[in-house]
Amino acid sequence: MTNVKDVAKLAQVSTATVSRVISNKGKVKKETREKVLKAIEVLDYHPNNIGRQLRTMKTMTILVLVPDITNTFFSKILRKIEVTAIEKGYEVLLGDTQNKSADKYFGYFYEKKVDGIISLTSYFDVKNLETINKQIPFVLACENIEGINLPSVTINNILGAEIMTHYLIDKGHKNISYISGPLKGILGKNRLTGFKQQMLKHNLKINDDWIFEGDFTIQSGYKIGMKILKLKELPSAIFAANDEMAIGIIKVLTKHGIRVPDDISIVGFDNIISSEIITPELTTYAQPVEEIGNQAIQKLLDLIENKELKETDTLLEGTILERQSAQNIK
């Protein structure tokens, strides 16, 4: 079986140099690193993780929790996290919480299977979260939880919803329907708050019959679209709290002969890939997804290595991407 001595011999370096390259720690000249990596590839060498864990008391594994793995919004975040983690010698475990409580995944830490956790969901029992946060490096991404000292990377979801609501109001829309995500979650609550605050700021009526709760899936958007069709009076515009629900609604309206944006304007939130493919292309609020992933993994790695964080909470900015799904009211 190939071992570190074989790699060192082929690369003509010391075993210590090979170890530094594998662990990605310590200074190694670029040309030397390339020689070692080439030797590893030629020999098809795989480091002994068990031995490394015994020496360092680390699993070199992190856990990433996602509320819904089928939601494409998370794909670029996950890719950035995994690419960076692998570069630093870590493996990534993925947990799909299916929009349910994620507390059961804390068992991975208690069983010493992971060195840290990044969560893209806030569905936790707060007391359990406070306990785990004191014992293991933990970073919350995409969402934040008030009242708990937990490193986080997110955007201002209230402000983002205000911006999208103002965008429609600025186009002359007064009768606006809002499609919320699950209101048991912080994300759903914050974006609904942003919508309501902007409507009240402009002295516009909030019609409770035009507010629907979905679950951030295309399917729920489709079902809500059917409910909208049954309303006595149709809104002039719809703000969906994420792109997937907006796409589901567009599909229903188009199927039943209602033109977007000629009859009803629609905007979304997130800027997933499908928002550019749907007809008409969806106006949306674009989150800096790659930067969210980058900041989250960097924070976690710093915590694992006992480095002091430059900032505990990182607040990133999104931006409107104006496409064809919304227009000025006639």
Side-chain angles (χ1 to χ4, degrees), residues 30-96:
K30 181 179 179 181
E31 55 269 28
T32 302
R33 181 180 297 277
E34 290 176 351
K35 286 170 60 179
V36 172
L37 292 175
K38 181 64 176 177
I40 289 173
E41 181 181 355
V42 169
L43 296 172
D44 193 27
Y45 172 64
H46 299 281
N48 187 335
N49 287 333
I50 295 177
R52 181 170 59 181
Q53 289 174 25
L54 290 173
R55 291 192 303 273
T56 65
M57 299 303 291
K58 290 183 178 180
T59 66
M60 300 307 292
T61 302
I62 64 172
L63 173 65
V64 181
L65 301 176
V66 186
D68 182 1
I69 194 61
T70 66
N71 190 325
T72 57
F73 166 73
F74 299 107
S75 58
K76 289 185 178 180
I77 298 177
L78 291 171
R79 178 177 292 175
K80 187 63 180 180
I81 289 173
E82 184 169 37
V83 167
T84 303
I86 290 173
E87 287 176 353
K88 298 297 183 180
Y90 286 82
E91 296 180 351
V92 176
L93 288 178
L94 186 63
D96 179 12

Side-chain angles (χ1 to χ4, degrees), residues 105-124:
Y105 288 95
F106 291 156
Y108 281 88
F109 164 67
Y110 292 121
E111 295 170 10
K112 307 299 181 184
K113 293 180 179 179
V114 297
D115 297 326
I117 299 173
I118 295 175
S119 179
L120 309 186
T121 176
S122 61
Y123 289 169
F124 296 101

Side-chain angles (χ1 to χ4, degrees), residues 134-166:
K134 295 175 182 177
Q135 301 180 62
I136 184 174
F138 193 106
V139 175
L140 189 63
C142 299
E143 304 184 32
N144 59 3
I145 301 176
E146 294 183 2
I148 180 171
N149 185 24
L150 184 70
S152 65
V153 183
T154 186
I155 64 165
N156 187 330
N157 282 284
I158 294 176
L159 177 61
E162 285 188 340
I163 289 172
M164 295 308 294
T165 306
H166 181 269

